């Protein structure tokens, strides 16, 4: 809260009154807010005010969310995905460059996309990525089995990576990112080749999203690859800070 508002709460919280007003018996005072590192509009809580509270930190729980989501008729695909890969329920991205990331709230937005679109095609997954981020949308797409490898000329790109830069359609770019990630997972291409293709993706956000997928797959050894330095140079010399890889 604003410092002026916080100051007025001192007496109310400690003495349960504010001037002549007394809080009724049986009432409790509960305050909720974001942490300072949540990139919200927050103010540091003054020590005297903090000392008047019990402090409880909450975190998202996949089982509780699934129970709630089932009662809200959330998309069965999303329920199955979070049930099998609960680490994707929430993955906060502290980097200010990343606007979309998975959270209980943003998965509801993804559900609305699926309900509105009525089909699971590349455009739908592109819209889902706008809600939960590229990495989460790609993981969902892989889980759903909607890969587009047959529509993407991977061998052509390996022979001439510059061909990727000619792709202007967003859904086709999403297909390309998914195909590259799947090819690495299936060991049909190596990390150096995946990084080379990432360097030639025409869209910065998609390129960053693919790099995040690669980091989740191989960990920090990604940064030791010579091709990673070339990717950094191609993207202006300032890579995003990566979240630590997590295991399913």
């Amino acid at each position: 809260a604003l410092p002026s508002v916080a100051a007025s709460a001192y007496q109310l919280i400690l003495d349960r009154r504010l001037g002549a007003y007394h809080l009724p018996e049986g009432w409790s005072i509960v305050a909720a807010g974001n942490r300072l590192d949540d990139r919200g509009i927050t103010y540091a809580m003054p020590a005297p005010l903090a000392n008047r509270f019990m402090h409880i930190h909450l975190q998202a729980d996949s089982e509780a969310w699934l129970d709630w989501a089932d009662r809200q008729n959330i998309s069965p695909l999303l329920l199955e995905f979070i049930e099998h890969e609960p680490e994707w329920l929430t993955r906060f991205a502290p980097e200010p460059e990343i606007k979309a990331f998975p959270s209980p709230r943003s998965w509801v937005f993804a559900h609305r996309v699926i309900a509105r679109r009525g089909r699971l095609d590349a455009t739908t997954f592109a819209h889902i990525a706008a809600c939960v981020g590229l990495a989460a949308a790609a993981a969902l797409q892989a889980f759903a089995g909607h890969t587009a490898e047959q529509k993407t000329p991977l061998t052509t790109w390996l022979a001439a990576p510059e061909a990727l830069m000619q792709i202007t359609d967003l859904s086709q770019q999403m297909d390309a990112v998914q195909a590259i990630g799947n090819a690495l997972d299936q060991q049909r291409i190596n990390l150096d080749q995946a990084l080379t293709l990432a360097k030639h993706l025409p869209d910065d956000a998609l390129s960053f999203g693919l790099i995040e997928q690669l980091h989740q797959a191989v960990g920090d050894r990604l940064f030791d690859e010579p091709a990673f330095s070339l990717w950094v140079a191609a993207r202006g010399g300032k890579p995003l800070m990566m979240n630590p890889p997590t295991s399913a």
Side-chain angles (χ1 to χ4, degrees):
L2 289 168
S4 58
V5 176
S8 66
Y10 282 42
Q11 184 184 36
L12 178 64
I13 295 167
L14 184 63
D15 300 328
R16 298 177 59 82
R17 69 183 183 87
L18 194 60
Y21 172 79
H22 289 262
L23 200 67
E25 290 296 327
W27 285 32
S28 298
I29 299 174
V30 178
N34 291 317
R35 300 166 300 182
L36 290 175
D37 57 356
D38 284 338
R39 289 201 286 122
I41 302 175
T42 57
Y43 298 87
M45 182 180 290
L49 181 59
N51 195 238
R52 287 163 162 79
F53 278 108
M54 294 173 56
H55 296 268
I56 301 173
H57 293 272
L58 303 179
Q59 62 182 18
D61 178 80
S62 61
E63 291 186 5
W65 186 83
L66 286 168
D67 180 65
W68 173 87
D70 183 54
R71 289 184 277 110
Q72 300 300 317
N73 296 317
I74 296 298
S75 166
L77 170 62
L78 299 184
L79 295 179
E80 293 174 11
F81 175 63
I82 297 301
E83 182 177 9
H84 285 83
E85 302 190 37
E87 71 275 8
W88 282 110
L89 175 60
T90 180
R91 188 171 291 185
F92 177 63
E95 302 87 358
E97 296 92 337
I98 298 179
K99 308 302 182 186
F101 53 87
S103 71
R105 179 193 298 118
S106 59
W107 282 118
V108 174
F109 297 161
H111 157 73
R112 294 172 184 169
V113 167
I114 295 172
R116 183 179 67 250
R117 292 279 302 167
R119 59 188 181 278
L120 291 172
D121 57 10
T123 300
T124 298
F125 282 108
H127 291 179
I128 291 173
C131 299
V132 299
L134 289 165
L140 175 66
Q141 187 173 15
F143 178 82
H146 285 266
T147 59
E149 295 172 19
Q150 294 181 349
K151 297 187 293 182
T152 53
L154 189 61
T155 54
T156 300
W157 297 339
L158 291 173
E162 297 81 7
L164 279 169
M165 303 182 70
Q166 306 305 315
I167 302 176
T168 58
D169 181 76
L170 178 60
S171 64
Q172 292 180 10
Q173 292 179 30
M174 286 287 294
D175 288 345
V177 170
Q178 184 61 45
I180 295 167
N182 286 345
L184 180 67
D185 288 342
Q186 297 165 9
Q187 299 183 343
R188 292 187 289 110
I189 63 174
N190 58 38
L191 184 56
D192 179 80
Q193 291 172 316
L195 284 166
T196 298
L197 295 176
K199 184 182 72 170
H200 287 87
L201 284 168
D203 184 87
D204 279 343
L206 286 171
S207 184
F208 282 126
L210 178 55
I211 290 297
E212 185 178 356
Q213 288 185 55
L214 300 181
H215 184 241
Q216 290 293 328
V218 305
D220 288 349
R221 73 180 180 90
L222 172 76
F223 307 133
D224 297 328
E225 291 288 325
F228 178 76
S229 297
L230 296 176
W231 174 83
V232 171
R235 297 294 164 178
K238 185 181 179 182
L240 293 177
M241 294 297 294
M242 298 294 169
N243 292 326
T246 58
S247 58

